[in-house]
């Protein structure tokens, strides 16, 4: 009798959680003949960065938690690798599934490939062209190691071909992050419940996030950005849920005082439903996040990206995103444009339809021959 095929799914950091939620749901659906095991590396561990996402997004409790926690890139990656290897020996999955571009993604892929276990990468082929970004290194290497690569936009296929990855390994699935957005839109927390006291009911506001090392690690860059954002906040108040690393950098750079004098209102990191509620009603979103560029495009909300590049060009070519970099003049010009025109109209990209994870599950069943195994078992 053929055994049920087992797929081990890996999550580690906040942006992974909204990707894995629909994948686990699709893989554990009654009519999918696969066994899906969930592993959390522990890269993001505290309540604000992890627990609230598991609860709000109905992610099943991880079957395995490596509990690695924070550390330098080398330490974090090495610890995940060391702790992941015995898990593979014990659970013997037929495939390892990784998502996105965080340290947990590359660490687990690297261990699996050396053990001869096939790897599937969800959100493959995105490239910013900027090798100074740790995520870019993680993307390139994970794609090289993967047997099956699911993409969110067609531009990713050309990137993968350039790197020698054959078309037959690539599948266009759409965007699992947008599966989560569509699944939860009705449950989003009304903005009024999250907005800080300094913003009146009904007043327009902007939503701000910042956490990329290139924006927050250098006190001069961070200071200049916050001064520009302070100027914007005189026109539209900004709500700023602050990532832990950014909170630390603002403090280290002695910039707490600057923030206190502006209409930038800081909040602790928010849960998914609170963030979604704020995003959908924002007049404008200013961010250096990858996922938020996609979510604003899906929601039709204007997005100003405070980076020199994007690995998600479809959000610019079809969506509501404008990549402006970090020069004060460009940020202010783009902001004024959004205020006067309402921003780009945009349209929702192909297959950002809420069904990407189901498409992925179907391909995995075929790829692993799991349907056949189940039929054998039944017969
Ligand atoms: C990671 C990802 C990044 C993603 C981001 C989203 C990599 C290379 N980067 O960056 O792609 O956009 O997550 O959040 O994997 N910390 C806490 N609590 C936690 C986790 C972290 O306080 O639960 C603090 C620690 O001080 C830690 C710092 O945040 O040192 C950074 O965390 P880390 O996972 O190293 O990287 P991120 O900057 O979050």
């Amino acid at each position: 009798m053929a055994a049920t095929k087992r797929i081990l799914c890996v999550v580690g950091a906040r942006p992974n959680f909204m990707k894995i939620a629909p994948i686990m749901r699709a893989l554990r659906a009654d009519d999918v003949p696969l066994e899906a095991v969930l592993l959390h590396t522990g890269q993001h561990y505290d309540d604000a960065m992890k627990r609230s996402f598991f609860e709000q997004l109905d992610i099943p409790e991880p079957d395995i938690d490596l509990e690695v926690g924070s550390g330098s890139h080398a330490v974090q990656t090495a610890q995940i690798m060391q702790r992941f290897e015995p898990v593979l020996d014990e659970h013997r999955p037929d495939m390892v599934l990784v998502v996105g571009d965080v340290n947990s993604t590359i660490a687990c892929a690297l261990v699996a490939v050396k053990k001869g276990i096939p790897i599937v990468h969800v959100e493959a082929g995105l490239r910013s062209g900027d090798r100074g970004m740790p995520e870019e290194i993680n993307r390139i290497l994970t794609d090289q190691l993967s047997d099956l690569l699911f993409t969110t936009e067609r531009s990713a296929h050309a990137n993968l071909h350039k790197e020698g990855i054959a078309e037959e390994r690539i599948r266009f699935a759409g965007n699992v992050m947008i599966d989560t957005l569509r699944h939860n839109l009705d449950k989003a927390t009304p903005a009024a419940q999250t907005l800080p006291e300094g913003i009146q009911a009904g007043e327009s506001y902007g939503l701000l996030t910042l956490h990329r090392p290139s924006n927050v690690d250098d006190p001069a860059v961070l200071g200049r950005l916050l001064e520009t954002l302070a100027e914007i906040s005189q026109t539209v108040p900004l709500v700023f849920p602050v990532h832990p690393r950014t909170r630390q950098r603002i403090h280290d750079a002695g910039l707490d005082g600057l923030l206190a004098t502006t209409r930038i209102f800081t909040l602790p990191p928010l849960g998914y439903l609170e963030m979604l509620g704020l995003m959908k009603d924002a007049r404008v979103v200013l961010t250096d996040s990858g996922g938020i560029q996609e979510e604003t495009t899906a929601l039709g909300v204007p997005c100003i990206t405070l980076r020199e590049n994007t690995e998600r060009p479809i959000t610019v070519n079809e969506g509501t995103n404008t990549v402006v970099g970090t020069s004060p003049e460009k940020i202010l010009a783009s902001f004024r444009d959004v205020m006067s025109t309402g921003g780009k109209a945009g349209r929702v990209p192909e297959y950002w339809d809420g069904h990407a994870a189901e498409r992925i599950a179907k391909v995995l069943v075929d790829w692993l021959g799991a349907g056949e195994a189940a039929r054998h078992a039944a017969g």
Side-chain angles (χ1 to χ4, degrees), residues 58-81:
D58 245 340
I59 302 171
E61 200 50 43
D63 301 289
I64 305 144
D65 191 339
L66 301 182
E67 297 181 351
V68 295
S70 300
S72 70
H73 284 264
V75 166
Q76 195 172 58
T77 309
Q79 283 195 348
I80 296 169
M81 289 179 68

Side-chain angles (χ1 to χ4, degrees), residues 15 43-46 49 70 102-103 135 211-212 243-245:
Q43 178 176 347
H44 284 176
Y45 45 86
D46 64 29
M49 301 297 284
S70 300
V102 301
N103 287 341
E135 293 81 1
H211 75 284
R212 293 254 97 82
H243 187 286
R245 74 176 290 132

